[in-house]
Amino acid sequence: MTAKPRTSKARAAKIPDSPEAWLAQLPAERARELAVVRAAIRNRLPAGYEEVTLKGMIVFRVPKARYADTYNGQALWLAALAAPKSYLTLHLLPVYGSPILLASLKAGFEAVGKRLKMGKGCINFQRADDLALDTIGEIIAAMPVAKWVAFAESVRRR
């Protein structure tokens, strides 16, 4: 007799195959808040990125057809939105690798009187209104695909 492989409910559940489907499976209030942040990103997202659902998140990434030689063989992420149990997150990868962009993010939050609650590159929030969305949009807009790829390559060479 062969044993069945163990899988958790979370792993067994199908990950929605589009950002819209991913948002639709969330509680309405959380989906609304993430939709606002998603719109702010999409409105400033330079051409050439793709938006996908991956690992239980909405991910904005460089297509592998554009840049495949990443350190881990996965597409290069610019940003991602996630909905852990008790808060929401925006993974804003450029600020993780750039002290200048991190300083800009901090200054943007301070300028609008918002508290920046983050780890290395992950901003935690409850509502979209907790964020300095204009500043986040500026950081997104400041990263055309070619610039983001060049930055990733320069970091790998260090």
Side-chain angles (χ1 to χ4, degrees):
M1 177 194 273
T2 32
K4 289 184 179 180
R6 291 184 182 181
T7 60
S8 70
K9 283 184 186 179
R11 237 186 275 148
K14 184 178 184 303
I15 295 174
D17 60 357
S18 72
E20 293 77 14
W22 183 81
L23 287 170
Q25 54 91 38
L26 295 174
E29 183 178 325
R30 291 166 62 81
R32 273 193 306 275
E33 297 302 328
L34 285 168
V36 170
V37 180
R38 177 182 177 228
I41 292 169
R42 288 172 53 105
N43 287 340
R44 301 297 302 273
L45 190 67
Y49 288 98
E50 64 183 0
E51 179 185 22
V52 299
T53 53
L54 186 66
K55 299 184 180 192
M57 296 183 259
I58 295 175
V59 176
F60 300 89
R61 68 185 187 180
V62 176
K64 285 201 61 176
R66 168 63 176 86
Y67 180 60
D69 187 28
T70 59
Y71 77 95
N72 62 2
Q74 303 297 313
L76 181 62
W77 293 17
L78 175 70
L81 292 168
K85 287 184 178 182
S86 61
Y87 54 94
L88 305 171
T89 62
L90 167 62
H91 300 264
L92 194 58
L93 285 95
V95 302
Y96 176 68
S98 169
I100 293 168
L101 290 177
L102 178 58
S104 174
L105 180 70
K106 288 177 178 179
F109 269 73
E110 187 177 318
V112 294
K114 309 269 178 165
R115 180 175 173 259
L116 177 59
K117 184 179 174 188
M118 72 180 286
K120 289 185 177 185
C122 173
I123 302 167
N124 300 324
F125 62 100
Q126 296 291 330
R127 299 172 30 105
D129 191 45
D130 296 339
L131 302 174
L133 289 175
D134 288 341
T135 300
I136 290 166
E138 289 168 9
I139 291 169
I140 293 291
M143 279 297 154
V145 170
K147 183 176 179 180
W148 185 227
V149 167
F151 180 81
E153 288 177 337
S154 74
V155 171
R156 279 182 70 185
R157 280 181 258 155
R158 289 183 200 166

